Structures are given as C-alpha cells and as structure tokens.
Amino acid sequence: MLSIGELAHRAGVSVRMPRIQPLPAPRLAQVSGAANDTSEIPAMVDTLISRLAATGIGGNGIRTYHGRPDGSKIDVAVGVTLDAEADPPAGLELARLPAEERAAVVTHGTADDDGDPWLTVDAALAERGLESYGVYRQVHVRGEGEGRPVVELQCPVRDSGCRTG
C-alpha cells in the first residue's frame, strides 16, 4: 500500500494531512449544474464561474460537489456566502449547507493542480479509519489577486463502514 506522500506525489498534488473539526452552516448565493462524472467537473466549474461573474458577483467563493445517491450525476455549485438575512441577487439560487459535527479539512496551496487532491484526502482518512460522505466543499480562503491562492478542502467524515453521519 502506498503512503499518503507517495500517493500525493503520483497524483501530482501536495496535500497536508486532514485536521478533524466541525463545519459551519453557511448560506450561499450560487449557480449550479450537474456533471455525468468527475472528468466533466472542471468544465462545469468554469461554466459556473462565468455564470456567477455575469451576475456581477465576484470574489473568493465556495464550490460544492455532491454525488447523487443513485450514482447518476454529480451536483456541482459555485457560490459566495450570504449574510444571515440577505437574499441572493437576481439570477442566483439560495443554498444552505448543513453544519457538520465532524469533518476533514485540508489546506491546499492552489485550486488548479493537475492532480486530484481529494484522492489523497480519502487515502489519509482511510488510514485513520474514516471515510468521507455528503457534500464536499472547496473553500477559497485567499484568491489569486491576494497573493498565493489558498484553498480548503472540506468534507464530512464518519467511521469507515458506517452508513449514517
């Protein structure tokens, strides 16, 4: 079995070990779409970023990914956080991400690596007897115009083999 470092190197990404912590329940103004499989996600994200920018909304954002339980599609969304009472601007959907008591959070150097950093996150969780589930979050903490890009990969976790959160 490959170590996390070897897996990350082969995948072409650099990922730190996940820290386990709770996640908040943000409200988002977002645009969304669906991909048939993971190979379609980058193009979908590009399309959604363009749609979001067309509404006049910019800045650092949150991307979400959720595989449908039947395996038919992957729901993809790109959005920005909203204040508690704010309505989304015209053309954007309101979304509420659930709070999570236990989640893996990994700080990642860039959003545009050629490899898939989620592969190393899942491998690191497996070494701890955990697995990811639910809505994956990619939170852009600092954008390109603010120095080196910084992204947090976040996903709810549970004990391996457990079918409830």
Side-chain angles (χ1 to χ4, degrees):
M1 181 167 174
L2 296 176
S3 72
I4 297 304
E6 291 170 311
L7 185 59
H9 178 73
R10 287 184 182 189
V13 296
S14 59
V15 174
R16 295 189 175 117
M17 292 298 284
R19 59 191 186 276
I20 306 300
Q21 66 183 56
L23 293 179
R27 297 174 74 246
L28 303 177
Q30 70 176 27
V31 290
S32 62
N36 290 314
D37 59 54
T38 58
S39 69
E40 294 181 0
I41 290 175
M44 176 59 66
V45 167
D46 289 344
T47 298
L48 295 175
I49 288 171
S50 294
R51 285 178 45 204
L52 186 66
T55 68
I57 301 294
N60 296 337
I62 297 177
R63 300 175 189 175
T64 62
Y65 313 95
H66 184 253
R68 294 182 185 170
D70 65 5
S72 64
K73 301 277 185 183
I74 302 166
D75 294 316
V76 180
V78 174
V80 294
T81 56
L82 285 174
D83 291 332
E85 300 302 319
D87 290 324
L92 299 180
E93 309 156 10
L94 173 64
R96 292 179 177 91
L97 296 180
E100 300 291 349
E101 290 183 30
R102 190 167 66 149
V105 177
V106 176
T107 301
H108 181 58
T110 178
D112 297 320
D113 272 335
D114 290 332
D116 184 351
W118 290 108
L119 293 175
T120 57
V121 171
D122 286 337
L125 292 173
E127 286 184 2
R128 293 182 179 186
L130 299 171
E131 63 185 12
S132 60
Y133 73 99
V135 178
Y136 285 53
R137 305 175 189 191
Q138 183 175 327
V139 180
H140 295 253
V141 180
R142 188 169 64 218
E144 305 251 355
E146 303 169 40
R148 184 171 168 250
V150 176
V151 175
E152 281 189 354
L153 305 177
Q154 305 174 346
C155 58
V157 297
R158 61 187 173 204
D159 294 333
S160 291
C162 179
R163 292 291 153 220
T164 61

